[in-house]
Amino acid sequence: MEDKWLEQLKERADQGMLRDVHFTAKLENGVRDRIHKRSPRMSFMRFGPVTVAALLLVITLWQVWPQQVEWGQSGTDPVQQPPSLLPGGVLQSPELWKPSPVVEGTVDNLTFSYLGEKPVRLITDESNIYAGQQQKFMWMLDGDFSKTVDIVAHDSEGQQVELGSFEVGGGIYDAKGHFPSGLVLPTPGIWKLEVRSSGKYFGHVFIEVKSGISPSNQSLVEPLIRKFLETEGDKLGWLGKNRQITIELLHVDAPSAEKRRAYAWIRVQSENNSRNQCGDGV
């Protein structure tokens, strides 16, 4: 029985971490010397062969075990070493709230760009999304969705905005369904636009909403202000005919494509009878 037990013990050791360790006569003598130094009065004659084999196995394991655990000051509690993937062993937590990347696709030799991934993708000018100003979006849906879907927006601070219900039309590009929308997000930051079908979560896309005035509103509003000032020339006659107009847009509210409210600092300066005259206003 003892020989059979020892044979099984050796087989398990050969299959485990000791498979590359050869228990040579030198190693055996080293183990015996270590035991003899710890207990001079101990004699192997007082133990059976099973006990001797167990002692040899334990000490051998102690000698060859990889030093992967650092022990605490008490000597009893193991302390795992920090990972060394980054300098100082600090793991970088993943950034969950970030804009969906722009992906380019081709269908029937037509190339298009979109944000997100199936089942919800979004076609828009991602560089033109500004707080308080409407932006056009084209949604592409795949999978099983209802005829009408809802869009709910969430930002990283916990704010939630319901953006309305939309009727889904037929396919576009490589998508099963699509619908257009003009949406306004109230504050800058990272927003998750979530699509809900039959009241249940269907998919989402992350976008970045910037602060300031969008390039599209900048190019549209400023010429309108300048044209207005030119048509009001009679009211500015006291400034003379040669006038220089400077316009600085401060803010634009554009809740829809039809309604825009612009705030601007306007400076009208002219030279009249060798006198510099100017008028400022908002």
Side-chain angles (χ1 to χ4, degrees):
M1 288 293 293
E2 294 175 354
D3 293 339
K4 185 177 181 180
W5 184 87
L6 287 173
E7 184 178 352
Q8 294 176 351
L9 183 64
K10 181 179 181 302
E11 290 178 357
R12 290 198 298 270
D14 291 339
Q15 296 173 1
M17 64 181 300
L18 293 178
R19 61 183 179 274
D20 297 327
V21 178
H22 301 285
F23 196 75
T24 61
K26 182 178 179 181
L27 181 59
E28 180 179 352
N29 292 332
V31 173
R32 293 180 183 274
D33 292 341
R34 188 181 297 275
I35 296 175
H36 180 71
K37 291 178 180 179
R38 292 198 174 193
S39 180
R41 297 181 181 181
M42 183 181 297
S43 173
F44 284 98
M45 299 300 297
R46 300 168 63 180
F47 300 96
V50 174
T51 307
V52 173
L55 286 173
L56 292 177
L57 179 62
V58 170
I59 296 176
T60 304
L61 286 173
W62 178 72
Q63 285 185 330
V64 301
W65 193 278
Q67 301 300 317
Q68 295 179 344
V69 178
E70 179 182 353
W71 292 84
Q73 295 181 354
S74 62
T76 57
D77 298 330
V79 179
Q80 295 292 336
Q81 294 181 352
S84 57
L85 296 179
L86 296 177
V90 179
L91 284 176
Q92 184 177 6
S93 59
E95 185 181 357
L96 301 179
W97 287 76
K98 57 183 179 181
S100 298
V102 179
V103 181
E104 189 173 276
T106 303
V107 176
D108 297 332
N109 295 325
L110 296 176
T111 301
F112 63 102
S113 299
Y114 59 87
L115 304 176
E117 57 186 17
K118 295 181 179 181
V120 175
R121 292 174 292 167
L122 189 61
I123 298 178
T124 187
D125 179 6
E126 71 279 357
S127 64
N128 201 54
I129 307 175
Y130 283 75
Q133 300 158 66
Q134 188 187 79
Q135 171 67 9
K136 294 181 179 180
F137 299 93
M138 180 65 71
W139 299 81
M140 299 191 300
L141 304 182
D142 289 280
D144 297 326
F145 48 83
S146 57
K147 294 182 179 180
T148 302
V149 298
D150 301 317
I151 300 180
V152 180
H154 307 265
D155 73 350
S156 57
E157 302 299 325
Q159 183 179 187
Q160 176 176 310
V161 179
E162 295 184 3
L163 299 176
S165 300
F166 301 87
E167 184 175 348
V168 182
I172 185 175
Y173 294 115
D174 62 343
K176 181 180 177 181
H178 82 285
F179 65 93
S181 69
L183 304 180
V184 180
L185 281 304
T187 56
I190 304 299
W191 285 81
K192 180 175 72 171
L193 303 182
E194 178 183 318
V195 176
R196 295 180 181 177
S197 175
S198 300
K200 298 180 180 179
Y201 169 84
F202 184 74
H204 69 269
V205 177
F206 285 101
I207 64 171
E208 180 180 7
V209 179
K210 305 178 182 65
S211 60
I213 303 172
S214 69
S216 61
N217 279 320
Q218 184 89 28
S219 61
L220 175 65
V221 172
E222 186 171 333
L224 291 176
I225 296 176
R226 191 175 298 275
K227 184 177 180 180
F228 170 79
L229 293 174
E230 291 175 354
T231 58
E232 295 293 316
D234 293 340
K235 296 181 180 180
L236 300 176
W238 61 277
L239 290 174
K241 294 183 179 181
N242 299 322
R243 295 185 293 268
Q244 182 180 1
I245 300 175
T246 303
I247 301 173
E248 180 184 355
L249 283 178
L250 303 177
H251 181 71
V252 174
D253 286 329
S256 67
E258 296 78 17
K259 296 181 179 180
R260 287 181 173 87
R261 176 175 293 180
Y263 301 84
W265 184 263
I266 301 171
R267 182 180 181 88
V268 181
Q269 188 174 8
S270 69
E271 183 176 339
N272 185 16
N273 296 329
S274 300
R275 291 185 305 166
N276 289 328
Q277 300 184 14
C278 66
D280 297 328
V282 177

